[in-house]
Amino acid sequence: MLLEVKNLSVDFKVGKQTLRAVNKVSFSLGEKDSLGLVGESGCGKSTTAFALMRLLASNGQISGGQILLDGTDLASAPYDYIRKVRWKDIAIIFQNAMTALNPVQKIGNQLVSALQEHEDVTRKEAIERAEYLFERVGIAKSRLMQYPHEFSGGMKQRAVIALALICKPKILIADEPTTALDVTIQAQIIELLLELQQKENMALALITHDLALVAEAAHKIIVMYAGQVVETGDAHAIFHAPRHPYTQALLRAPPE
């Protein structure tokens, strides 16, 4: 198994209190698998994603469990090791493309810097990889050296996807990748992610509050509520025979 999450718990220190945001969450992800992690805002989905990347805020900590990536526990691994595997083995598409890109750096330079941080390549080779990914995500390579403010919302989201793919990760986490995009662009982004998953041979974890969004995107679905997993199953079973009342309520909820 490529990724095994076992009883993962995450706590945050808020004043004198310690609050549990994720409570004993477990799941696994194999090569080329597609997993949907679904639940309402605040249920712990994004916190789980940030824990997998070891990108929790300074007041947050992994308080229990394991995150086994190819057998190595990321939850307890030294930070130098995390820096090596982050983006190279496991990468994330951040929820808000508007803030995921550095506004004062050309997008192409951001992709080049990320690749050269992890691989011994020349700037020319890195630019060629970035141009290839721009074309793969549907952006003309001639726009590589433009600033984020020169891109529309949909193009920024595509650029963030290219950034996540620059090091050819084994696992791609997509955290609400269609936030603030219209319905047409949402469908295009999901279709693009699935296409890239197949062509780049990645495992995909799609995090969303919208069950309908993962209807055809995920083979397996995990439903979270109040920091815990309340239901797990293959997509067909979840959609046609949900067992938990919260899952049933999600399926009845109108799209936002």
Side-chain angles (χ1 to χ4, degrees):
M1 193 61 65
L2 189 58
L3 178 71
E4 290 184 274
V5 179
K6 298 181 178 181
N7 295 316
L8 176 66
S9 294
V10 177
D11 292 344
F12 285 90
K13 190 77 172 178
V14 182
K16 295 182 179 180
Q17 290 185 304
T18 298
L19 304 178
R20 177 145 295 183
V22 174
N23 187 28
K24 295 184 178 180
V25 167
S26 299
F27 61 87
S28 60
L29 196 59
E31 292 182 2
K32 301 182 184 180
D33 278 356
S34 56
L35 171 73
L37 191 57
V38 185
E40 64 189 4
S41 297
C43 73
K45 307 184 306 296
S46 294
T47 299
T48 299
F50 277 75
L52 298 183
M53 297 291 296
R54 289 279 298 273
L55 288 172
L56 292 169
S58 58
N59 66 329
Q61 65 171 356
I62 296 172
S63 54
Q66 295 178 302
I67 304 167
L68 300 176
L69 177 64
D70 285 335
T72 300
D73 186 9
L74 300 185
S76 58
Y79 190 68
D80 285 347
Y81 181 81
I82 300 299
R83 282 181 60 86
K84 290 179 182 178
V85 301
R86 189 188 291 156
W87 303 115
K88 180 69 177 175
D89 291 326
I90 181 168
I92 187 170
I93 301 169
F94 291 107
Q95 184 173 144
N96 190 346
M98 308 298 179
T99 58
L101 296 167
N102 188 329
V104 298
Q105 280 193 11
K106 293 176 180 177
I107 294 175
N109 287 336
Q110 296 181 53
L111 270 71
V112 167
S113 295
L115 184 56
Q116 289 189 308
E117 174 74 19
H118 293 279
E119 294 187 20
D120 184 18
V121 295
T122 65
R123 179 173 172 82
K124 180 177 182 293
E125 291 170 333
I127 288 175
E128 288 174 353
R129 169 72 178 165
E131 288 177 339
Y132 164 78
L133 284 173
F134 253 45
E135 291 186 328
R136 179 60 67 86
V137 300
I139 305 175
K141 64 181 182 181
S142 60
R143 304 198 63 173
L144 183 66
M145 290 302 173
Q146 290 185 332
Y147 290 93
H149 73 266
E150 297 178 90
F151 280 26
S152 67
M155 288 178 65
K156 282 192 186 79
Q157 191 66 60
R158 290 170 183 267
V160 169
I161 293 172
L163 177 60
L165 295 175
I166 192 67
C167 295
K168 301 181 181 179
K170 299 175 184 176
I171 300 170
L172 180 63
I173 302 169
D175 185 12
E176 299 276 11
T178 60
T179 296
L181 301 178
D182 64 49
V183 175
T184 303
I185 301 299
Q186 284 185 16
Q188 291 177 1
I189 293 297
I190 295 301
E191 183 178 350
L192 172 63
L193 285 173
L194 293 176
E195 178 187 345
L196 290 170
Q197 179 203 7
Q198 295 301 315
K199 290 185 177 179
E200 301 290 336
N201 296 320
M202 299 180 300
L204 174 65
L206 177 60
I207 297 173
T208 179
H209 63 274
D210 188 351
L211 262 174
L213 197 63
V214 296
E216 297 182 8
H219 301 130
K220 183 179 178 182
I221 293 175
I222 292 172
V223 181
M224 287 188 68
Y225 178 73
Q228 301 183 69
V229 173
V230 295
E231 186 163 1
T232 303
D234 65 72
H236 185 272
I238 292 289
F239 278 94
H240 293 89
R243 300 184 305 275
H244 197 278
Y246 178 68
T247 309
Q248 296 166 7
L250 278 180
L251 287 168
R252 291 195 301 267
E256 296 184 2

